[in-house]
Amino acid sequence: MPVVETIQAYLEAQRREVDRELDRILPPEDAYPLSIHRAMRYSVFAGGKRLRPILCLESGRLFGGDDRVLRRAGSALEMIHTYSLIHDDLPALDNDDLRRGKPTSHRQFGEATAILAGDALLTLAFETLTAFAADRDADAEHAQLRVVHELAHAIGTRSGMVAGQVVDLEVTAETTDPATLDYIHGAKTGSFICAAVRTGAILGGAAEADLDRITTYGEKIGLAFQIADDLLDVLGSKQSMGKAVGKDGRQQKATYPALHGVAQSQKIATRLVDDACETLQVYGARAQRLQELAHFLIERNH
Ligand code: FPP
Ligand code: MG
């Protein structure tokens, strides 16, 4: 093993660990009713990068969290993420045929099963988050409850994922100003990414001052991540992305490149990541992985 593991090798190793945990938690394909379990597994194991679980793991590790607890929470995050992708792809929303290089859930299993697979993953995520070992102490129980409460809020209708998705559906680039675009991006994507790093920190036992720093980091990388996603829709290829590209422009979506231009969007994303990394300087080399991850989020090609 080389002394300095590349970010790719590191991500791959972490992804494998998360995948093992997901495989343990998700009902097997031969569990009755087969159709729903097949659909849940199909989308969860379609080849996601597992960025939210990995962010949760690294954030928790910074404060000495237990890897088993963090992996379990990270798996719940990935289930929520996968639910959001399945529903986002539905005909009534983005109507996409391809996701992670494979037919979308509704193309593969039909719309009814896809809707239910999303619902089931969202539900299983909260079952998973509340199924920690019986020997936990009062602090761990409190952390668990706080995580459930925060995550539910982060994906809800008050500046959470559903809120961002709703506004995203209701506006176009023409009718949107930069402040509304920041609301959409922060709510639709940023709040959940921020919740992922907060989840790790809370489960790791971080103090409130540490949580504040992690929150600043999470908010900045969350927005940067969605700006990068907007840019990839303009600059990326269908092959590397595993989904249709150029759709935002065709549908006159409100995006960073549409409102700010490509070069300025790249500049803003880089600045956000630099600021996010700066926030963690107080932790010295211990925060190196989180800083590398922040850079990876905007340098990725898929
Ligand atoms: C790609 O993540 C995902 C996004 C950029 C988030 C977009 C937001 C939504 C789809 C919200 C939808 C909300 C509802 C309620 C339907 P990624 O690059 O990490 O994907 P990967 O897991 O495939 O790697
Ligand atoms: Mg969408």
Side-chain angles (χ1 to χ4, degrees):
M1 182 69 107
V3 180
V4 183
E5 207 182 14
T6 65
I7 182 84
Q8 272 79 16
Y10 159 80
L11 286 170
E12 182 54 27
Q14 302 302 306
R15 193 184 62 69
R16 270 200 301 272
E17 278 187 32
V18 173
D19 281 5
R20 264 197 296 275
E21 182 74 2
L22 280 163
D23 190 40
R24 266 196 294 270
I25 297 170
L26 282 160
E29 293 213 340
D30 59 3
Y32 185 80
L34 309 192
S35 55
I36 189 73
H37 297 134
R38 234 177 249 157
M40 289 161 78
R41 282 185 166 263
Y42 173 83
S43 289
V44 167
F45 294 110
K49 297 183 290 292
R50 313 304 193 210
L51 291 175
R52 293 151 191 81
I54 295 171
L55 284 165
C56 169
L57 270 163
E58 273 322 317
S59 172
R61 286 171 181 159
L62 181 58
F63 304 107
D66 176 340
D67 256 33
R68 280 170 313 166
V69 171
L70 296 170
R71 260 201 305 273
R72 184 158 267 265
S75 301
L77 293 169
E78 190 65 14
M79 290 181 220
I80 295 173
H81 171 57
T82 307
Y83 127 74
S84 80
L85 299 182
I86 294 173
H87 282 195
D88 189 53
D89 290 334
L90 286 169
L93 285 97
D94 278 354
N95 192 20
D96 272 306
D97 296 336
L98 201 64
R99 167 74 70 178
R100 294 167 166 174
K102 297 170 95 172
T104 46
S105 181
H106 64 275
R107 297 290 292 178
Q108 185 74 11
F109 303 102
E111 215 175 325
T113 301
I115 292 169
L116 292 170
D119 293 340
L121 286 168
L122 175 59
T123 311
L124 182 57
F126 285 98
E127 184 182 328
T128 301
L129 283 168
T130 49
F132 290 164
D135 60 353
R136 62 204 188 283
D137 59 19
D139 283 349
E141 263 185 13
H142 179 254
Q144 186 181 357
L145 188 60
R146 188 172 179 187
V147 160
V148 168
H149 182 79
E150 286 203 10
L151 265 178
H153 184 83
I155 60 176
T157 57
R158 287 159 296 156
S159 303
M161 185 195 282
V162 174
Q165 184 74 354
V166 168
V167 183
D168 182 51
L169 288 172
E170 290 174 350
V171 304
T172 65
E174 276 276 285
T175 60
T176 309
D177 58 276
T180 308
L181 179 62
D182 281 357
Y183 175 85
I184 294 170
H185 281 18
K188 185 178 76 171
T189 308
S191 62
F192 185 43
I193 289 183
C194 187
V197 291
R198 277 184 65 89
T199 293
I202 291 167
L203 295 175
E208 290 305 314
D210 294 315
L211 262 176
D212 287 347
R213 279 189 279 269
I214 277 294
T215 304
T216 303
Y217 166 87
E219 286 170 350
K220 288 183 187 295
I221 64 161
L223 179 55
F225 179 84
Q226 186 57 55
I227 297 174
D229 201 72
D230 289 356
L231 283 162
L232 284 167
D233 188 68
V234 178
L235 305 172
S237 71
K238 181 175 172 182
Q239 199 189 6
S240 68
M241 293 295 287
K243 62 177 182 181
V245 294
K247 272 195 86 178
D248 293 343
R250 286 195 293 281
Q251 297 179 339
Q252 294 182 302
K253 282 279 186 191
T255 65
Y256 254 71
L259 267 75
H260 299 275
V262 167
Q264 185 64 8
S265 300
Q266 286 167 327
K267 226 163 127 180
I268 295 169
T270 303
R271 175 73 177 274
L272 283 163
V273 164
D274 288 345
D275 289 352
C277 293
E278 171 75 32
T279 309
L280 303 186
Q281 286 297 3
V282 286
Y283 303 111
R286 285 165 52 219
Q288 193 186 327
R289 280 297 183 207
L290 284 175
Q291 291 167 330
E292 286 171 0
L293 280 166
H295 285 284
F296 173 78
L297 296 185
I298 60 165
E299 282 155 18
R300 65 204 165 97
N301 71 348
H302 72 292

